[in-house]
Amino acid sequence: MRSAFASFMLCLLAAGAWSQTTAAPPLESLDVKVLNARFIALGTLKEFTAGVTLGAHRASLTISETLKGKPVKSLEGEISASQPQLEEWMALSTRLLIFRDEDDKPSEPMNLERPGLAVITADYKPLSDPVEILRYVKNVIRRWPEGKAPSVRLRLPPEGVALSWGSVGLLVPADERLEAYAVAEIRSKDPQRRTVGIDALRPFKSKANIDRLRLLLKDPTFTIVQAPEEYRGVELREYPVRERAYDVLREWKVEVPKLVLREEISRIATVKSLSLGVVGKGTDLGWLEKARNLRGLEMNAFEGLTTQQLEAVLRLKGLIRLAIPYAGIDDTRL
């Protein structure tokens, strides 16, 4: 049975497995937020004044516990919060989880007592209980003693959008769980899962992983991106698994042989209908004689048909339906 983590990762990655479209900025998982921070502490607001940065205030905080970084009893610096928020936090002695990144830019503390609090972990588990959040943060710090890790952007599944506040991606750490998952997925019999595994493998360049991706350069899976009925009887194929493996190997600066990533296959002898789009007076229709099984033909001839073009159409003995709207022939049964 597939593990819960593997199922989650497949769900996240599958939405973008067959395309490389650019999406909105991703949401940080709690794991990545913790790993990107140089300092994390639990504290309460003691006082605040106007800040230098727009939308920020200079705050003085009493620290009850330092989770990451040099332990301190108090902290001063700019935080992103409105004056009413700060007044409420100070009046109620609200417990705040403070994050400081390397650039020390003002950031909004996590209000652990806020109604409806929800944060998303790297395994897409929403946490709202302050005790669970603090325990999780400590576990991430313990699991990554060096304090930093590269991250990977994964696409959120449709059911995840409600928890993502409009974002369509989630940043997760590129750790050993992700690599193990990726290696398992590229061995799958499902071609979409193989592509998902390739995407997840990007941060893990190694000889073993290079060899694994080389095997996928001959993957037989293809998708039909242009039907022969819409492209002069020619079927256009793309090989997404090969292409994704090729892209990652090139990204890793690995020399790879010339590949067939797109291929045209003639189906003109068997195609039963064709839509030619716009046909001008200079368009050669002589190739239609190869369409021996053609039954339906549609085209837009704004300038009408030349004698040669009309003869090419009339030679189609099996044709039973012809549509040339701008020539006055509209869905004519022959």
Side-chain angles (χ1 to χ4, degrees):
M1 181 180 293
R2 195 187 310 167
S3 70
F5 177 74
S7 298
F8 149 73
M9 296 300 287
L10 178 62
C11 191
L12 281 182
L13 281 162
W18 301 92
S19 66
Q20 294 280 9
T21 54
T22 302
L27 181 72
E28 276 187 330
S29 64
L30 180 57
D31 307 61
V32 169
K33 188 174 182 66
V34 170
L35 293 174
N36 283 342
R38 65 169 178 80
F39 177 84
I40 305 173
L42 182 64
T44 55
L45 181 62
K46 184 166 60 176
E47 59 184 11
F48 68 91
T49 58
V52 176
T53 307
L54 183 65
H57 289 80
R58 185 158 189 83
S60 176
L61 301 110
T62 300
I63 303 301
S64 58
E65 183 179 3
T66 301
L67 284 72
K68 183 178 182 181
K70 184 179 179 180
V72 295
K73 295 295 184 181
S74 62
L75 180 69
E76 290 192 3
E78 287 192 321
I79 59 175
S80 295
S82 66
Q83 183 172 332
Q85 276 183 315
L86 294 168
E87 290 173 348
E88 180 180 327
W89 291 347
M90 194 163 62
L92 299 177
S93 297
T94 301
R95 289 191 305 160
L96 304 171
L97 193 57
I98 300 108
F99 295 85
R100 286 293 184 190
D101 296 338
E102 294 293 342
D103 56 16
D104 212 31
K105 289 182 179 178
S107 61
E108 184 176 357
M110 184 184 296
N111 178 359
L112 294 176
E113 298 172 14
R114 178 174 64 84
L117 172 66
V119 294
I120 303 177
T121 65
D123 56 0
Y124 198 60
K125 179 183 177 183
L127 298 179
S128 57
D129 182 352
V131 174
E132 288 186 5
I133 291 173
L134 290 173
R135 183 185 300 121
Y136 192 90
V137 168
K138 292 175 182 179
N139 285 338
V140 171
I141 295 170
R142 189 160 40 246
R143 195 165 65 243
W144 291 90
E146 63 274 23
K148 295 289 287 185
S151 58
V152 177
R153 174 185 175 148
L154 306 180
R155 292 181 64 84
L156 290 170
E159 63 270 23
V161 175
L163 281 173
S164 67
W165 299 281
S167 178
V168 295
L170 183 69
L171 287 176
V172 302
D175 58 14
E176 69 282 354
R177 293 189 307 165
L178 183 62
E179 183 177 14
Y181 159 79
V183 170
E185 289 302 281
I186 64 174
R187 295 171 179 161
S188 171
K189 293 181 179 180
D190 182 339
Q192 187 169 351
R193 287 179 60 184
R194 291 199 296 277
T195 309
V196 165
I198 294 169
D199 276 341
L201 201 61
R202 283 180 186 270
F204 306 105
K205 180 181 178 181
S206 68
K207 184 181 183 306
N209 288 337
I210 289 172
D211 291 341
R212 291 182 176 109
L213 292 190
R214 283 188 184 277
L215 293 176
L216 295 176
L217 295 178
K218 295 182 180 179
D219 190 279
T221 305
F222 64 86
T223 57
I224 298 174
V225 296
Q226 181 74 64
E229 292 81 4
E230 300 171 355
Y231 188 60
R232 296 168 60 98
V234 176
E235 177 182 288
L236 181 59
R237 297 178 176 181
E238 290 184 351
Y239 293 83
V241 178
R242 293 182 191 179
E243 185 171 10
R244 200 60 58 85
Y246 176 83
D247 288 344
V248 174
L249 287 170
R250 290 296 299 272
E251 184 179 306
W252 289 350
K253 310 298 183 186
V254 175
E255 188 173 339
V256 291
K258 187 176 181 180
L259 299 179
V260 175
L261 301 178
R262 292 169 65 90
E263 188 175 22
E264 292 186 348
I265 307 294
S266 177
R267 301 293 187 198
I268 190 63
T270 57
V271 72
K272 292 185 177 181
S273 67
L274 284 172
S275 178
L276 303 185
V278 177
V279 173
K281 286 187 176 294
T283 303
D284 177 25
L285 296 182
W287 57 271
L288 283 174
E289 65 182 7
K290 299 177 182 178
R292 295 186 293 272
N293 288 289
L294 195 64
R295 298 293 180 266
L297 179 63
E298 181 179 347
M299 67 183 82
N300 288 320
F302 299 108
E303 302 172 333
L305 294 179
T306 65
T307 301
Q308 277 187 321
Q309 290 171 331
L310 188 57
E311 288 176 349
V313 173
L314 293 176
R315 283 196 292 268
L316 297 169
K317 302 302 182 182
L319 199 65
I320 59 175
R321 178 183 173 275
L322 179 64
I324 314 177
Y326 289 92
I329 303 173
D330 191 5
D331 199 15
T332 300
R333 299 285 172 174
L334 304 178

